[in-house]
Amino acid sequence: MSNTELADSLVEKARDRSAVFGVIGLGYVGLPLAVEIAEAGFRVVGFDLNQAVVDTINGGKSHIQDVDSETLKGLVEKGLIEATTDNGRMPEVDLVSICVPTPLSKTKDPDVSYVVAAADAVAKNLRPGQVIVLESTTYPGTTRDLLLPRMEDKGLVVGESVFLAFSPERVDPGNETWQTRNTPKVVGTVTPECARVVLELYGPVFETLVPVSSPEAAELVKLLENTFRSVNIGLANEMAIVCDKLGVDVWEVIDAAATKPFGFMKFTPGPGLGGHCIPIDPHYLAWKMRGLNYKTRFVDLAGEVNSEMPLFWSRKVGDALNEKAKSVRGANILVLGVAYKKNIDDMRESPAIDIVSLLSNQGAEIKYHDPYVPSFMHEGIELQSVEFNTAVLNWADCIVIATDHGSVDYSLLKNSEVPIVDTRNVLGNS
Ligand code: SAJ
């Protein structure tokens, strides 16, 4: 089959839904993507290193909060989704979406080892007519520098016999309005023929596609989105520190500023920056630019301010105890909410953990309540979520609201005499 015929056949397979998709990495990005692809009528083979994840999915059970098990079960039973650990099955699929983690190393440098491992697995099994789409957030140049050479080192040519794109994931865990299908999807490709093929195949899966001229542009779109959040959250956090020093209610200031109908976007202070994206992704950009002798000052400054917040709030606990002539050492402290943001169970990079560490290192006795997190390991000890009731309120010398889960009954706190450090202004809103 000639190269044009290869591209044409992929377009045909997109239109008659006979194309088979592959998704590498079946986590909070990959599994929702696999479901959307299957619901568009395509068969999906999910690839994951974790046999337990593969078995759970093949058993019709979802391990991802935003994916409903009944929906997944139906798709598995129809044969539209199956999971495997066997990368040798990759030649079966026409388009492979790579949705693997891109964390930071201990030295805060990008750790693209998962992307490299996935790219090597794809390259090893690559055949003419395959399409590779990298979805993991990464530094500009990853698609062209890491994936393209691996795809071409067996003589295949990107844009002719194989096709390559970057299309950033935009999953907002817990967001019930914006999901994988209805969130506009940016696609940056290496050649126009790549664009033709990827847009045809992704077309039935996403309501809106946003083509851009290169993978670098698409990689930067994602980094701009998340750096925008990190910088503005950092500004909100700095305003919290400023207002604290001036004795002004930062929440009142922000709420009033947010009445401006144009030219303002509301961000709120918090315990710090959690999650697997916002605290991490901007550092991918900073790293790349350091290599080009440019210092991305906003990225670095936002990181400094945001990572300072756990200390700011733990000092507020000290002040609150001091008002009662108590010290942190020996105090009983209840932490309400430990997940990194409301209404989810994810603990990754959660600033609540930093607050727990700071206070326990000062000698406080910590208990926590989080309806989404039954237990977690903290410095080698398993902490269990306690019942949020009058008994624990009587036990506590101070309460820290670190995550504002919607299902917690904050009215219990209404008449409590216990000092409360409310990092999310839950009580101010109620
Ligand atoms: N936070 C604040 N103040 C704010 C907003 C957020 O302190 O005004 C905190 C949150 O509590 C959390 C952290 O910042 O700890 C990140 O929050 P987030 O709302 O950005 O949520 P993430 O990291 O789960 O998901 C984000 C997506 N969220 C939104 O756009 C609302 C989106 O930026 C990306 O799709 C996603 O990261 C990703 O995968 O990159």
Side-chain angles (χ1 to χ4, degrees):
M1 201 186 283
S2 77
N3 292 330
T4 315
E5 285 165 341
L6 277 174
D8 291 344
S9 77
L10 284 165
V11 170
E12 198 41 49
K13 290 169 114 177
R15 290 177 181 167
D16 67 16
R17 302 294 190 273
S18 62
V20 179
F21 282 67
V23 176
I24 303 178
L26 299 173
Y28 83 96
V29 174
L31 189 58
L33 176 60
V35 166
E36 292 300 353
I37 294 168
E39 290 200 321
F42 295 103
R43 188 162 75 83
V44 185
V45 180
F47 297 88
D48 202 287
L49 297 171
N50 185 324
Q51 188 64 54
V53 165
V54 165
D55 295 343
T56 303
I57 289 167
N58 289 336
K61 269 182 69 49
S62 165
H63 64 296
I64 298 296
Q65 186 178 321
D66 290 341
V67 174
D68 168 60
S69 285
E70 277 315 299
T71 305
L72 179 62
K73 186 164 180 278
L75 294 168
V76 169
E77 286 171 351
K78 281 186 201 152
L80 283 173
I81 288 184
E82 69 169 301
T84 179
T85 57
D86 177 11
N87 290 334
R89 293 189 51 188
M90 272 184 207
E92 283 178 45
V93 305
D94 297 300
L95 184 148
V96 185
S97 299
I98 301 174
C99 304
V100 296
T102 45
L104 286 179
S105 68
K106 292 251 180 302
T107 51
K108 281 223 181 285
D109 292 332
D111 172 3
V112 288
S113 59
Y114 297 96
V115 172
V116 170
D120 286 341
V122 164
K124 186 165 167 240
N125 296 286
L126 199 60
R127 60 161 173 79
Q130 275 189 317
V131 187
I132 314 302
V133 182
L134 177 60
E135 298 230 349
S136 306
T137 305
T138 184
Y139 59 81
T142 304
T143 306
R144 195 183 300 274
D145 301 345
L146 279 188
L147 270 75
L148 191 149
R150 284 172 167 80
M151 292 173 68
E152 295 200 329
D153 76 1
K154 290 198 312 192
L156 294 167
V157 178
V158 168
E160 294 178 17
S161 47
V162 286
F163 308 93
L164 177 60
F166 182 81
S167 180
E169 57 88 3
R170 278 178 164 175
V171 173
D172 182 21
N175 191 321
E176 296 183 357
T177 306
W178 296 104
Q179 317 236 305
T180 298
R181 178 168 180 78
N182 68 344
T183 301
K185 196 80 160 74
V186 171
V187 178
T189 56
V190 176
T191 72
E193 193 69 335
C194 293
R196 181 166 80 95
V197 163
V198 174
L199 295 175
E200 282 285 348
L201 284 162
Y202 263 20
V205 180
F206 301 94
E207 281 176 15
T208 312
L209 293 180
V210 182
V212 293
S213 62
S214 69
E216 288 79 8
E219 288 158 343
L220 269 171
V221 164
K222 179 65 181 181
L223 291 178
L224 172 59
E225 288 168 10
N226 283 3
T227 303
F228 167 80
R229 292 187 65 73
S230 172
V231 168
N232 282 285
I233 293 165
L235 175 61
N237 281 326
E238 182 158 78
M239 283 308 287
I241 297 169
V242 163
C243 287
D244 181 61
K245 290 182 183 302
L246 295 172
V248 174
D249 178 346
V250 65
W251 306 96
E252 178 187 26
V253 168
I254 290 173
D255 285 345
T259 60
K260 184 179 178 191
F262 52 85
F264 184 79
M265 183 172 178
K266 182 177 180 180
F267 285 85
T268 52
L273 210 48
H276 29 275
C277 312
I278 308 305
I280 289 167
D281 299 344
H283 292 286
Y284 269 67
L285 182 59
W287 173 84
K288 176 73 179 180
M289 296 319 291
R290 276 201 299 276
L292 299 171
N293 291 322
Y294 180 74
K295 185 170 168 47
T296 49
R297 285 156 292 173
F298 277 107
V299 170
D300 300 340
L301 180 59
E304 275 172 45
V305 173
N306 289 323
S307 48
E308 189 184 307
M309 294 313 285
L311 181 61
F312 170 79
W313 290 110
S314 63
R315 283 181 178 151
K316 299 302 287 176
V317 171
D319 296 346
L321 288 166
N322 199 42
E323 287 299 304
K324 303 275 185 179
K326 290 183 180 174
S327 65
V328 176
R329 181 166 299 282
N332 294 332
I333 297 175
L334 172 66
V335 177
L336 278 185
V338 290
Y340 79 78
K341 71 172 185 180
K342 72 190 303 185
N343 304 339
I344 64 167
D345 59 5
D346 201 331
M347 297 282 290
R348 281 176 289 186
E349 306 287 325
S350 175
I353 307 309
D354 298 324
I355 293 173
V356 166
S357 298
L358 285 165
L359 294 171
S360 57
N361 292 344
Q362 290 181 69
E365 182 67 30
I366 306 286
K367 288 186 179 188
Y368 85 93
H369 169 75
D370 188 313
Y372 289 85
V373 182
S375 68
F376 69 95
M377 291 304 290
H378 180 252
E379 292 173 359
I381 299 167
E382 185 182 37
L383 297 181
Q384 309 268 339
S385 175
V386 297
E387 277 304 301
F388 181 45
N389 53 28
T390 45
V392 77
L393 288 184
N394 293 335
W395 169 86
D397 298 311
C398 184
I399 296 167
V400 182
I401 302 177
T403 309
D404 46 340
H405 289 311
S407 60
V408 173
D409 178 8
Y410 298 103
S411 66
L412 276 176
L413 299 174
K414 268 265 178 311
N415 307 315
S416 168
E417 296 293 311
V418 179
I420 299 166
V421 175
D422 185 359
T423 75
R424 302 284 192 168
N425 195 39
V426 171
L427 303 181
N429 288 338
S430 47

